[in-house]
Amino acid sequence: MGKFLTKREDNYSQWYNELVIKADLAENSAVRGCMVIKPYGYAIWEKMQAALDQMFKDTGHVNAYFPLFIPKSFFSKEAAHVEGFAKECAVVTHYRLRNTADGKGIEVDPDAKLEEELIVRPTSETIIWNTYKNWIQSYRDLPILCNQWANVVRWEMRTRLFLRTAEFLWQEGHTAHATEEEAVAETVQMINVYSDFAENFMAMPVIKGHKTANERFAGALDTYTIEALMQDGKALQSGTSHFLGQNFAKAFDVQFANKEGKLQHVWATSWGVSTRLMGALVMAHSDDNGLVLPPKLAPYQVVIVPIYKGDEQYAKVKEAGNKIKEELKDFGITVKFDDRDTHKPGWKFAEYELKGVPIRIALGARDLENGTVEVARRDTLEKNTYPQENIAKVVKNLLNDIQENIYNKALNYRKEHTFSANNWDEFVDYLDNKGGFVYAHWDGTTETELAIKDKTKATIRCIPIDNPLEDGKCILTGKPSTQKVLFAKSY
RNA sequence: CGGGGUAUAGCACAGUCCGGUUAGUGUACCUGCUUUGGGAGCAGGGGGUCGCAGGUUCGAAUCCUGCUACCCCGACCA
């Protein structure tokens, strides 16, 4: 465990990389671009999964599992889709190894070449729609509301822990509907689920909106996104929900007989969030002392650190610590009592700060005498002494406070870094000198969007839902525009 | 994939230019004693095919060739 963490203002990117590793969330593996998610990091992901999974089920979805491999021929059926993903696919070509001639190693057996190559899924629309074809004959078979928790592979050129890895974990929902209206409603429902999750569990404010045609998912007619602002002023796309129209139904010939007995193509959606959310969580709240976790996603919300001299005190402090632990557990609070005698209290304080545990309770001889505990909150680093009596209630309230406080802090940060530009010079000034979200008029063409990206590195993050309409002129071309859209530099 | 850089103990680095005792420092690790309310102190100890494969040489971490991986900056993306 290193003692020093790079400061955010010195090198934000390095701060992030160090933090992920030092807080024991993940590390680079022996495999290029692939990470090992360590137990502490995985515990946070499991909390995210549990909350999201419940939200999916509450909105009528069920879980299923589809194959890791997709036959190459499936993959090419939807033209836009294959074009979007072709450049980053891992491909399985053989199914057997053999010993090399010199007996010292192994090699791919050339006789074991597959008839048809298999793509390691970068996303599962094609294999799922090929499957749905068999599940759907009648309007009575619809809707199908499936989700799967899975790993996918996208052969990215440059990777970063959680933010962009060659293999990542995610969930992908794939739904099939009888009508366009129903599919659109599903798409909107799921982006709302994502934004609720981001704001209520991750304590991370997000802006919901439509992607532009240029930024849309390969094969979608409309892509909704939630966009979060990180502490370095860059945006992070944190979840997407796609209205796929009838594209995949047509590509895989999925038709159903409606009530009138007429054959129609099925309407589709897909939606997903990934372990990238872990990166978002780290960057949204953490500080120069380490991770700051929202209580709702922290692997343990409270850590109790005993302070003692000698075996006699150790026994007493341990007894008192266990009692407090049980009281907290009865209040539904998750607690770790770190009674290891192999590390000193000061070491533990620093350790749990680095790991972002929302509340630390210190308990020593002084406290045993006075019937108190010292409670430190991670978000503000404030320390206060409270009576041991009713401590669970105090902690419970503090946890709620912390959850709320870090949300408000992130929201304030976003407010302070959201600008509205009325001309090109303002636009560039905000992007270069302030950083953050910049609203600006855009003429609606992909050509202009790309030109702006080329000049400023900023992209249109989204056209926010319920965006107020106002007449104006495109900041680049001066052509008429009906609304300002959200620009930012992004991850 | 284009440009730049790095590879020596678990980690972070020095040594490489100018080849030559037993490859060193910090940290981490192990043992003992003293410590314990913010990453303890002292003493002792273990750990290295110097990224991989070749080559030059009496002798290579050091020079040459090839390869691989990683990092930073671009293009691409959840």
Side-chain angles (χ1 to χ4, degrees):
Chain A
M1 188 64 60
K3 282 182 183 173
F4 304 105
L5 187 61
T6 298
K7 292 191 188 330
R8 284 166 295 176
E9 62 176 27
D10 292 345
N11 187 335
Y12 189 84
S13 172
Q14 194 177 327
W15 165 82
Y16 173 83
N17 289 335
E18 282 181 16
L19 181 50
V20 168
I21 289 167
K22 289 182 177 174
D24 240 2
L25 300 180
E27 63 189 27
N28 285 308
S29 72
V31 185
R32 179 200 147 86
C34 297
M35 65 180 162
V36 173
I37 304 175
K38 297 185 74 179
Y40 192 67
Y42 202 79
I44 298 171
W45 177 241
E46 284 180 320
K47 289 237 167 184
M48 289 186 172
Q49 281 186 303
L52 282 165
D53 201 62
Q54 191 58 54
M55 292 170 94
F56 299 156
K57 284 170 180 162
D58 288 345
T59 44
H61 302 88
V62 290
N63 284 330
Y65 188 79
F66 296 87
L68 170 66
F69 302 118
I70 300 174
K72 193 178 73 177
S73 58
F74 286 26
F75 205 71
S76 57
K77 284 186 180 170
E78 214 288 334
H81 190 67
V82 68
E83 197 189 321
F85 287 103
K87 284 180 290 183
E88 51 189 31
C89 283
V91 184
V92 179
T93 56
H94 292 76
Y95 58 86
R96 195 195 301 141
L97 300 171
R98 66 179 186 188
N99 291 324
T100 51
D102 63 10
K104 286 178 181 168
I106 50 172
E107 63 185 5
V108 173
D109 185 343
D111 293 336
K113 195 170 187 313
L114 290 171
E115 285 290 312
E116 179 178 3
E117 292 93 339
L118 296 170
I119 315 294
V120 181
R121 61 180 168 215
T123 180
S124 302
E125 275 78 5
T126 55
I127 184 71
I128 286 178
W129 278 90
N130 184 75
T131 307
Y132 281 0
K133 177 180 165 64
N134 300 322
W135 293 4
I136 298 167
Q137 279 85 38
S138 151
Y139 71 93
R140 294 189 179 91
D141 299 323
L142 296 170
I144 293 176
L145 304 171
C146 278
N147 174 64
Q148 83 165 339
W149 289 96
N151 59 338
V152 288
V153 169
R154 296 181 189 176
W155 213 261
E156 299 291 348
M157 296 179 180
R158 283 182 58 205
T159 59
R160 285 187 75 190
L161 293 170
F162 290 122
L163 297 174
R164 192 188 302 107
T165 46
E167 179 193 16
F168 55 95
L169 306 184
W170 77 344
Q171 58 69 216
E172 47 182 326
H174 295 272
T175 67
H177 305 267
T179 65
E180 177 173 11
E181 296 70 39
E182 198 183 303
V184 168
E186 167 78 5
T187 313
V188 172
Q189 170 180 251
M190 297 323 288
I191 203 67
N192 286 332
V193 164
Y194 289 155
S195 79
D196 284 352
F197 174 77
E199 302 200 333
N200 295 327
F201 285 85
M202 296 175 68
M204 181 176 78
V206 294
I207 291 178
K208 278 180 285 191
H210 300 265
K211 283 292 185 189
T212 61
N214 176 54
E215 296 267 335
R216 213 173 266 157
F217 177 76
L221 297 187
D222 193 4
T223 288
Y224 287 83
T225 177
I226 52 171
E227 297 286 325
L229 189 62
M230 302 293 106
Q231 292 182 60
D232 60 347
K234 285 164 84 177
L236 185 71
Q237 177 176 311
S238 304
T240 46
S241 180
H242 314 291
F243 170 58
L244 303 173
Q246 296 172 307
N247 286 350
F248 285 90
K250 285 177 179 167
F252 288 89
D253 191 28
V254 185
Q255 299 191 74
F256 70 102
N258 68 10
K259 286 179 186 174
E260 287 79 43
K262 284 184 182 164
L263 280 183
Q264 297 191 327
H265 284 108
V266 176
W267 297 85
T269 83
S270 69
W271 28 273
V273 294
S274 70
T275 38
R276 171 179 264 195
L277 288 180
M278 295 284 297
L281 189 68
V282 171
M283 289 197 291
H285 308 301
S286 301
D287 61 25
D288 292 342
N289 296 309
L291 218 53
V292 175
L293 293 175
K296 286 188 186 175
L297 294 176
Y300 32 90
Q301 296 166 314
V302 175
V303 63
I304 302 173
V305 177
I307 301 162
Y308 55 88
K309 291 177 188 167
D311 290 344
E312 195 182 328
Q313 277 189 15
Y314 181 51
K316 282 184 185 167
V317 168
K318 202 165 167 173
E319 192 190 334
N322 275 320
K323 188 165 161 263
I324 291 170
K325 179 182 171 182
E326 292 308 317
E327 281 175 32
L328 294 176
K329 275 168 78 175
D330 289 344
F331 257 66
I333 299 165
T334 51
V335 193
K336 173 174 175 173
F337 180 26
D338 187 353
D339 60 357
R340 290 178 296 173
D341 63 357
T342 50
H343 295 277
K344 294 183 59 182
W347 188 90
K348 291 176 184 174
F349 290 173
E351 168 80 359
Y352 293 114
E353 246 157 49
L354 190 57
K355 289 187 147 187
V357 180
I359 289 180
R360 181 186 71 236
I361 294 179
L363 183 65
R366 200 165 75 195
D367 297 298
L368 292 183
E369 229 168 84
N370 303 331
T372 57
V373 290
E374 183 191 77
V375 176
R377 53 188 287 178
R378 177 61 185 88
D379 59 337
T380 60
L381 298 171
E382 283 172 319
K383 285 193 276 197
N384 280 301
T385 302
Y386 295 94
Q388 286 173 27
E389 208 173 324
N390 284 329
I391 191 64
K393 202 170 175 184
V394 171
V395 167
K396 189 82 182 171
N397 287 336
L398 264 180
L399 288 170
N400 290 337
D401 263 17
I402 293 171
Q403 182 82 28
E404 202 175 318
N405 178 50
I406 62 174
Y407 175 81
N408 287 331
K409 214 165 151 185
L411 186 61
N412 282 337
Y413 177 86
R414 192 182 78 187
K415 280 179 184 163
E416 285 163 14
H417 292 81
T418 299
F419 307 99
S420 187
N422 293 307
N423 58 56
W424 181 256
D425 289 344
E426 271 182 36
F427 182 71
V428 172
D429 182 53
Y430 286 137
L431 286 172
D432 288 352
N433 301 322
K434 301 267 175 65
F437 284 143
V438 183
Y439 284 93
H441 279 289
W442 161 62
D443 65 18
T445 67
T446 297
E447 191 188 5
T448 300
E449 184 183 1
L450 293 175
I452 292 172
K453 183 180 179 180
D454 191 49
K455 287 176 194 292
T456 64
K457 290 175 188 158
T459 50
I460 299 175
R461 301 320 303 156
C462 69
I463 302 161
I465 290 176
D466 301 330
N467 206 26
L469 294 181
E470 61 168 76
D471 287 334
K473 288 180 178 173
C474 173
I475 44 155
L476 183 67
T477 63
K479 288 179 187 165
S481 153
T482 56
Q483 59 182 335
K484 285 181 171 170
V485 299
L486 187 64
F487 285 89
K489 292 179 185 173
S490 77
Y491 278 92

